[in-house]
Amino acid sequence: MMSPIKLGVFGSAFDPPTLGHLDVLQQAATCHDCILLVPSAFHAFDKNPLPFGLRVQMLQCFIDEAETGCPLEVCDLEAELLEQNPGRPVYTYDLMAALTSQYRDKATLSFIRGPDNARPDTWNRFYKSQEIEETWPIFTATERVAIRSSEVRNILESEKIADDLQQGLNMLLPSVQAFIINNNLYQTGNP
């Protein structure tokens, strides 16, 4: 019998996926056989990201190009969980419980946490944060690349000069840049 794989779970709005996300994944790849990237379907902290389908497509561009040292997979389970409880945020605890059930006997799961979510003021806002810590191992990345999706969006949404726009795009993998430009995302007046 094969031993279970070490499966990391990295959730985020991925709005858009940035080089900061890539750095977290590169750090976590050293401890995992595979990492699931889980875009939020209904964010618990009242974020209002691009539509789920667009973020999944961006994430697919991202993982097609990302070099981390272990396989990455997009997991859209949050959308299924949202369908089961419409209008209610999909909490990390509920996601991890559903994945644990789904991967029973096939994988040992751990939660991958970026430096932003590791800050106590943010982590303590997570639904059942204590239970998450007690139930699943947590891999916490250190901040080596200080890039936030919100910063990228602000640059792309502003009507700044081309040099600033290029600076914002340089915070992304080229395939994600191309997807954003080709779909005219984040620019003023667009989705």
Side-chain angles (χ1 to χ4, degrees):
M1 183 170 138
M2 286 181 45
S3 59
I5 65 166
K6 294 178 185 169
L7 186 62
V9 179
F10 183 41
S12 175
F14 296 112
D15 187 30
T18 69
L19 296 179
H21 291 115
L22 179 61
D23 183 56
V24 169
L25 292 165
Q26 288 170 336
Q27 292 177 56
T30 62
C31 303
H32 298 92
D33 298 315
C34 182
I35 298 174
L36 298 178
L37 279 65
V38 186
S40 57
F42 185 136
H43 204 281
F45 295 165
D46 294 327
K47 292 184 179 181
N48 190 18
L50 284 178
F52 185 77
L54 283 173
R55 290 181 290 118
V56 167
Q57 290 177 60
M58 265 193 296
L59 207 46
Q60 194 59 56
C61 293
F62 176 85
I63 67 169
D64 287 347
E65 186 177 356
E67 294 185 20
T68 60
C70 85
L72 304 175
E73 293 179 24
V74 176
C75 173
D76 63 1
L77 181 59
E78 279 209 17
E80 292 176 36
L81 295 174
L82 180 60
E83 281 181 21
Q84 294 169 14
N85 291 293
R88 178 182 177 263
V90 178
Y91 296 108
T92 298
Y93 181 87
D94 297 333
L95 171 70
M96 293 297 292
L99 285 169
T100 298
S101 176
Q102 182 176 331
Y103 285 95
R104 187 176 317 284
D105 301 326
K106 294 180 229 157
T108 56
L109 270 61
S110 67
F111 178 63
I112 298 170
R113 183 170 62 177
D116 283 0
N117 287 335
R119 289 194 312 250
D121 60 321
T122 302
W123 181 245
N124 291 334
R125 291 172 55 202
F126 272 63
Y127 173 71
K128 295 188 175 184
S129 60
Q130 188 69 39
E131 287 94 330
I132 294 169
E133 290 177 354
E134 293 167 359
T135 308
W136 297 278
I138 297 178
F139 176 92
T140 302
T142 57
E143 183 157 81
R144 303 184 308 191
V145 178
I147 296 176
R148 307 279 179 278
S149 294
S150 57
E151 179 184 4
V152 174
R153 284 193 311 275
N154 289 339
I155 292 171
L156 298 178
E157 289 169 353
S158 71
E159 298 193 16
K160 293 189 175 190
I161 58 174
D163 288 347
D164 289 336
L165 179 62
Q166 191 57 54
Q167 176 194 351
L169 292 173
N170 287 342
M171 298 178 187
L172 309 168
L173 287 171
S175 58
V176 176
Q177 291 178 26
F179 185 86
I180 288 170
I181 291 167
N182 292 339
N183 290 281
N184 203 24
L185 302 177
Y186 301 111
Q187 281 120 67
T188 306
N190 292 315

